[in-house]
Amino acid sequence: MAVEIRLSRTNRIYRPSEHLQGQIIVNSRSSISHYGISLLLNGSVNLQVRGGSAGVIESVYGVIKPLSIVNRSIEVRPSGKLPSGTTEIPFSVILRQPSENLGKFYETFHGTDINIQYLVTVGISRGYLHKSLSATIEFIVESDTADFLERPLSSEMVIFYITQDTQRHPLLPELKSGGFRVTGKMATLCSLSDPITGELTVEASAVPISSIDIHLCRVESVILGERIITETSVIQTTQMEMSVATLLCPFMPYYPVF
């Protein structure tokens, strides 16, 4: 005897204004009696413990309580009987009630320290003499694009430079004495589905350059009282091979979606 949830979309992506649709599939060799079939929608923001050394945010894991986004139970079927074989029970549940604020439905996020997750659980109650059946699946929540103001992204590029004087880590003696200068520009406002565009120009370097690494970092912050605790982690590294004669290096690292 087994039960599973099969959502209507293979990518499991839904928006707050949409219905979460799918089927509850029950496989049983014989007919079974039950005291009701229900769905539980659960969404929450949690701090999560990672392996290895504890980070700054993880150090306050026991202080900050989970934030509930949605916690709602829906009856799919009243008490009754399911036949033997495979039974498919369709369901359709609105994620956001008309009275709920859109901003409450944060997008799904799986970070290093912070986790925003949405789960749907089916429960089949069978009374005291039989073990209840249940199954859980995660679905992804993305923001409703229609609820945001349509405006073109700024094409303005931010200019930056890197020299031996801007570095806080130890440098080779040749670099400290001879110096180096790298300038560049990049767009700081872009869609998650588009690449980050920009370019680097190596104007001077006292030592040969064999490669350039571009790190895309994720910044996670937690407000604790009057403090803002922030931690940064690298989520993507793009390496550009280049020769000594190369001066201009365009780059296009991509955002991860989740």
Side-chain angles (χ1 to χ4, degrees), residues 203-218:
E203 297 184 356
S205 177
V207 297
I209 298 175
S210 59
S211 67
I212 295 177
D213 293 340
I214 297 177
H215 299 294
L216 182 62
C217 297
R218 171 176 49 218

Side-chain angles (χ1 to χ4, degrees), residues 89-109:
I89 306 171
F91 66 85
S92 179
V93 181
I94 184 69
L95 292 178
R96 182 189 63 177
Q97 299 290 347
S99 59
E100 291 177 329
N101 182 16
L102 174 67
K104 182 181 178 181
F105 276 83
Y106 306 110
E107 289 192 319
T108 295
F109 177 77

Side-chain angles (χ1 to χ4, degrees), residues 3-107:
V3 59
E4 67 171 311
I5 300 175
R6 187 174 299 165
L7 298 179
S8 60
R9 299 175 183 174
T10 55
N11 60 10
R12 298 178 288 123
I13 298 176
Y14 297 85
R15 290 175 171 77
S17 61
E18 296 178 332
H19 283 77
L20 180 69
Q21 298 177 326
Q23 291 181 327
I24 301 168
I25 301 175
V26 182
N27 291 289
S28 177
R29 294 182 180 179
S30 60
S31 61
I32 59 172
S33 299
H34 62 86
Y35 290 91
I37 301 175
S38 61
L39 282 177
L40 174 65
L41 289 181
N42 182 270
S44 61
V45 182
N46 297 278
L47 293 184
Q48 58 188 7
V49 178
R50 56 181 172 174
S53 58
V56 179
I57 293 180
E58 190 176 341
S59 63
V60 298
Y61 174 80
V63 180
I64 300 179
K65 297 181 179 180
L67 173 64
S68 178
I69 301 174
V70 59
N71 190 356
R72 191 163 73 245
S73 180
I74 303 98
E75 183 183 65
V76 179
R77 279 194 181 181
S79 59
K81 207 170 192 178
L82 295 177
S84 60
T86 301
T87 303
E88 298 180 351
I89 306 171
F91 66 85
S92 179
V93 181
I94 184 69
L95 292 178
R96 182 189 63 177
Q97 299 290 347
S99 59
E100 291 177 329
N101 182 16
L102 174 67
K104 182 181 178 181
F105 276 83
Y106 306 110
E107 289 192 319

